[in-house]
Amino acid sequence: MSDTITLVNPATGRAFREIPRAGLAEVDAAIAGAVAAQRTWAALAPVARADALRSFARVVEAHVDELAALEVENSGHPIGSARWEASHVAQVLNYYAAAPERLIGQQIPVAGGLDVTFHEPYGVVGIIVPWNFPMTIASWGFAPALAAGNAVVLKPAELTPLTAVRLGELALEAGLPDGLFQVVTGSGSVVGQRFVSHPDVRKVVFTGSTEVGTDVAAGCARMLKPVTLELGGKSANIVFADADLERAAASAPGSVFDNAGQDCCARSRLLVERSVYDRFLELLEPAVQAWRVGDPASPDTDMGPLISASHRDTVAGFLDGADVAFRGAAPTGDGFWFAPTVVLASPGDRLAQDEVFGPVVAVLPFDDEADAIRLANDTIYGLAGSLWTENLGRAVRVARGVKSGVLSVNSHSSVRYATPFGGMKASGLGRELGPDAAEHFTETKNVFFATD
Ligand code: TAP
């Protein structure tokens, strides 16, 4: 294996940078440095840790344009999305900067003394992130983990390490102690696996495929190490006949084609009540045609290329034998372009069951509310979903009936840093973000003080 990784711009197909590929010795050195830094960090006054995280947030905010430009070049994200992602990292840091002073334990009434609980940090947390949202997903792990008094070693995906590497540098610029937050570039089988097997990494956060996540969880089980998993999805966008069909159709492209469909929350199944099925497809077609695919550096672009040539081949493979209803437009030539595609599917089809992770949506009709819930739950996944109806009772019933971790009524919201995020079934284990995330990076210690 070469000791460097070659980065390719997905919009041009051209290599533009080499970065180091860490071996085991480098990973172990990073973990040793993190162990030392964590002891000092955890001993700081809570307000000092809070101030350091606020300072980190300010430095990230001052570098939003630079981070966004890196994401455009490395990941092909449209510039507008990339700016949002960089700002989101600063907001996540700000949000969890409040946590060190609010990790409040309990005082429990007992006989003969005083009983209190403490939220103790694990020590070193290993975070493994995928290539689809390189900086936001990283921040969902490192911000609350640091806030809770842990050190962090972060492994970005080989394809998209640049923003993570820059965030590691910005942490130092902001004054975070040396060794506290380290970014280690390299392969999953070496760096990621070492986070799993190293005894000094006491918790692992993994985001990526269900297949690799299952292996990571098995490895962590052998080490009795807690693990948070954010995995794949096949989320449903359910449109009832009583919905505002115009709004539902206008917003559907964004719900599945955003980030070229390389989004675990992509609403890649569109379930439409049979009585409005034809009408809805008529409304959807112009919305898909209007979805602008092109140069990610242009502020008018809605969607850039896919991440790599091999991923484009995988996505294209899903269209073999598919019943394509209509497609949008995409550039031709260099770059890993793929036009947004709407296919008509039946429940057992591969396109209705498997995660494509590309700009392909499968449309299926349903008969009534019970049928909609049954179909929505008819995959191994349970990450996100949307439902469109003007009937409040139905909205409540369907939202409670769909087995997904994150649902949205009459909109496509999935991620807000202040609300919990994560999947059911094969989509994951544990939750990120929201008010409790810092606590998830701690272990409860109970101490009894005898008074008699
Ligand atoms: P994976 O191949 O699973 O890779 C994810 C990360 O794990 C990468 O950093 C990868 O490193 C690393 N990795 C690979 N093999 C490993 C191993 N044996 N041990 C430890 N780490 C290992 O997924 P991907 O192709 O990057 O991402 C696409 C998939 O992730 C999709 O299925 C998608 O749904 C899912 N995903 C889910 C979410 C959420 S929030 N639920 C978010 C994004 C993506 P390398 O870079 O070296 O391969």
Side-chain angles (χ1 to χ4, degrees), residues 55-421:
S55 164
F56 189 7
R58 279 194 299 275
V59 172
V60 170
E61 192 56 56
H63 290 80
V64 161
D65 287 342
E66 185 198 336
L67 287 163
L70 285 175
E71 211 64 282
V72 170
E73 186 175 30
N74 194 178
S75 310
H77 289 196
I79 182 68
S81 309
R83 281 206 190 96
W84 181 91
E85 290 159 27
S87 295
H88 177 81
V89 174
Q91 287 164 354
V92 172
L93 279 164
N94 256 328
Y95 182 72
Y96 289 107
E101 296 180 283
R102 289 173 174 79
L103 274 172
I104 297 162
Q106 291 176 305
Q107 179 267 311
I108 300 170
V110 291
L114 170 73
D115 194 284
V116 291
T117 62
F118 296 91
H119 294 296
E120 302 286 7
Y122 279 104
V124 178
V125 173
I127 300 175
I128 303 168
V129 298
W131 46 258
N132 63 335
F133 287 106
M135 55 182 151
T136 53
I137 291 175
S139 73
W140 302 349
F142 71 68
L146 292 170
N150 300 280
V152 168
V153 282
L154 168 67
K155 190 205 109 54
E158 276 173 272
L159 292 172
T160 58
L162 289 186
T163 46
V165 169
R166 190 67 187 120
L167 286 169
E169 294 165 356
L170 295 178
L172 290 174
E173 271 180 43
L176 258 64
D178 211 15
L180 185 73
F181 173 47
Q182 297 179 68
V183 180
V184 187
T185 55
S187 70
S189 56
V190 174
V191 182
Q193 269 307 306
R194 192 60 183 142
F195 291 180
V196 173
S197 66
H198 197 298
D200 286 337
V201 175
R202 292 307 319 150
K203 174 165 179 163
V204 171
V205 177
F206 173 88
T207 305
S209 59
T210 297
E211 190 186 358
V212 176
T214 306
D215 276 353
V216 165
C220 287
R222 277 192 291 277
M223 300 292 292
L224 292 179
K225 202 179 275 197
V227 60
T228 301
L229 301 173
E230 298 287 1
L231 308 173
K234 189 72 191 174
S235 298
N237 178 12
I238 310 170
V239 181
F240 286 95
D242 65 23
D244 180 336
L245 295 183
E246 281 74 16
R247 271 185 66 213
S251 67
S255 78
V256 57
F257 302 145
D258 190 50
N259 201 24
Q262 303 165 125
D263 182 340
C264 47
C265 295
R267 275 53 167 181
S268 55
R269 289 182 301 150
L270 185 44
L271 312 184
V272 184
E273 192 158 356
R274 203 178 295 277
S275 59
V276 294
Y277 181 82
D278 291 338
R279 171 77 187 128
F280 191 79
L281 284 174
E282 278 168 26
L283 291 168
L284 182 63
E285 186 163 2
V288 171
Q289 307 297 353
W291 188 252
R292 294 159 300 189
V293 184
D295 179 6
S298 160
D300 296 329
T301 293
D302 294 316
M303 178 180 130
L306 291 170
I307 191 67
S308 66
S310 73
H311 187 55
R312 184 179 55 184
D313 291 346
T314 306
V315 173
F318 275 92
L319 295 190
D320 290 345
D323 183 0
V324 175
F326 44 85
R327 302 189 75 178
T332 52
D334 294 340
F336 313 128
W337 303 103
F338 200 90
T341 306
V342 177
V343 301
L344 309 181
S346 302
D349 293 352
R350 189 174 164 227
L351 272 163
Q353 294 291 329
D354 294 355
E355 183 174 49
V356 179
F357 227 52
V360 181
V361 63
V363 191
L364 295 91
F366 67 84
D367 293 315
D368 56 22
E369 196 178 302
D371 196 30
I373 294 173
R374 187 189 57 76
L375 269 180
N377 290 335
D378 182 30
T379 77
I380 61 167
Y381 297 112
L383 184 53
S386 305
L387 58 115
W388 293 79
T389 176
E390 296 295 301
N391 179 327
L392 180 60
R394 166 171 287 161
V396 174
R397 288 190 299 272
V398 178
R400 297 302 302 271
V402 174
K403 286 196 190 315
S404 286
V406 192
L407 286 162
S408 184
V409 179
N410 294 331
S411 67
H412 296 295
S413 157
S414 293
V415 171
R416 290 189 166 85
Y417 57 80
T419 58
F421 175 81

